[in-house]
Amino acid sequence: MRLLRFLIIIAIIVVVSILFFRVYRSPIVVPGEYPTIQAAVNAAVAGDRIIVRNGVYKESIVINGDKNSIKLIARGDSVVLDGSSLLLSPVGITLEDNASSVKIKGFRIINYDTGVLMDGAKSCLLTKNRIYDNTRGILMNGTSTNNSISNNIISKNGNDGINIAESSDNVINKNYIIKNNGNGILIDSTNSANRITLNYLLKNGMDGIQLNGDDAQIIRNESLKNDLVGIRISGSNNLIRNNVSVDNEVLDIENTGANQYLDNEYETSNLP
């Protein structure tokens, strides 16, 4: 009987160990295991973590739907994606073809046509990146949904800091969006139910926030000293609440459509 119990315990330990090692995979390290980030992405399977060490990586990264739930993590203060030597209007990081639950964290992304492109991305997270000196910071399109852009610094891009088109139910939260030549945040063309909260928008070359869509929530943002309008809303059933929009060149708030404004701080507007 004791032998039987012992064998059962051993069998359980073996089965649990096998299951553990099947489920847990150690991180892929760049450049330790692969010389480029794209090579590591190509080798990864769904759910893998890729750790990228300090260095300048002159490449464009593409992550598609067969790499769902991978995590691309910069480990260090100087992990730089640099597109200055690439041709054909490169993109720093592309999430496409229903890429889902991908996390991008901690990169400096510079000198691209578009820093990050989310084309049909679902439930992805961009966080704690510094995206600057690109033609455009972040572009989201292709009916991307349920993504989060949070805690990034997006500055000094040649056009918009963040541009969202034909995408819904996304969150833009706690970003510093400063001195972009276009709009700080532009949400344009058949968008609905996006949520813009707790962002700081300063000295952008056009509007701080421009929304063309419906059912959005614009809450607790600061939009200051932008060259055109602090918060410009066109659409219906949008909630604009508890924002500070002051010292903008043309108007602090401009509204077109049936929208709700509550407890905002502003000096100039076309509101009744």
Side-chain angles (χ1 to χ4, degrees):
M1 182 63 71
R2 289 181 179 177
L3 178 60
L4 180 59
R5 288 177 180 174
F6 175 76
L7 292 174
I8 291 172
I9 292 171
I10 293 298
I12 291 172
I13 292 172
V14 170
V15 170
V16 169
S17 298
I18 291 172
L19 291 174
F20 174 80
F21 284 109
R22 284 184 177 177
V23 171
Y24 177 79
R25 288 168 56 90
S26 60
I28 299 170
V29 179
V30 179
E33 298 176 53
Y34 293 91
T36 66
I37 300 169
Q38 187 63 58
V41 169
N42 294 343
V45 300
D48 273 352
R49 291 176 297 154
I50 300 172
I51 303 298
V52 184
R53 304 293 187 187
N54 282 335
V56 178
Y57 299 86
K58 296 187 175 184
E59 55 179 309
S60 293
I61 313 304
V62 178
I63 301 172
N64 55 39
D66 65 353
K67 306 294 183 181
N68 290 340
S69 301
I70 71 169
K71 297 174 178 61
L72 190 59
I73 309 297
R75 188 65 56 81
D77 293 330
S78 299
V79 183
V80 181
L81 280 172
D82 183 357
S84 60
S85 64
L86 303 179
L87 302 176
L88 301 175
S89 301
V91 176
I93 299 175
T94 301
L95 305 176
E96 64 179 10
D97 295 336
N98 295 308
S100 176
S101 302
V102 174
K103 180 178 181 180
I104 308 293
K105 179 182 178 183
F107 289 86
R108 295 187 189 184
I109 302 173
I110 61 173
N111 296 322
Y112 292 92
D113 181 66
T114 299
V116 178
L117 171 62
M118 306 175 78
D119 186 6
K122 317 293 183 187
S123 302
C124 295
L125 172 62
L126 305 180
T127 187
K128 297 185 178 179
N129 301 288
R130 286 171 282 182
I131 302 171
Y132 59 95
D133 290 342
N134 304 285
T135 302
R136 178 168 44 202
I138 297 171
L139 173 61
M140 182 188 298
N141 60 18
T143 62
S144 295
T145 59
N146 295 306
N147 299 288
S148 178
I149 300 171
S150 67
N151 292 290
N152 301 283
I153 298 172
I154 303 164
S155 66
K156 298 181 180 179
N157 295 289
N159 204 310
D160 300 322
I162 299 174
N163 184 319
I164 297 180
E166 299 179 350
S167 299
S168 301
D169 297 296
N170 301 287
V171 174
I172 304 173
N173 180 59
K174 294 184 179 179
N175 300 285
Y176 286 85
I177 305 172
I178 301 170
K179 292 184 179 180
N180 299 284
N181 286 347
N183 301 286
I185 299 171
L186 171 61
I187 300 184
D188 198 15
S189 179
T190 62
N191 297 280
S192 66
N194 292 293
R195 183 176 173 88
I196 304 174
T197 60
L198 294 166
N199 299 284
Y200 182 76
L201 304 109
L202 176 69
K203 292 185 177 180
N204 294 288
M206 296 178 68
D207 298 336
I209 298 172
Q210 183 182 142
L211 169 67
N212 303 294
D214 305 320
D215 302 306
Q217 296 183 34
I218 315 294
I219 299 174
R220 296 181 65 189
N221 302 281
E222 293 185 53
S223 188
L224 313 173
K225 298 183 179 180
N226 300 288
D227 285 357
L228 295 179
V229 178
I231 300 175
R232 188 195 303 259
I233 306 296
S234 177
S236 62
N237 200 37
N238 298 295
L239 174 63
I240 302 92
R241 187 179 70 195
N242 294 119
N243 300 283
V244 176
S245 183
V246 296
D247 294 331
N248 299 286
E249 287 293 328
V250 177
L251 285 174
D252 292 327
I253 293 179
E254 180 180 297
N255 178 73
T256 303
N259 302 294
Q260 185 177 20
Y261 290 80
L262 297 172
D263 300 321
N264 299 287
E265 180 182 337
Y266 58 93
E267 296 171 349
T268 59
S269 79
N270 69 342
L271 297 175

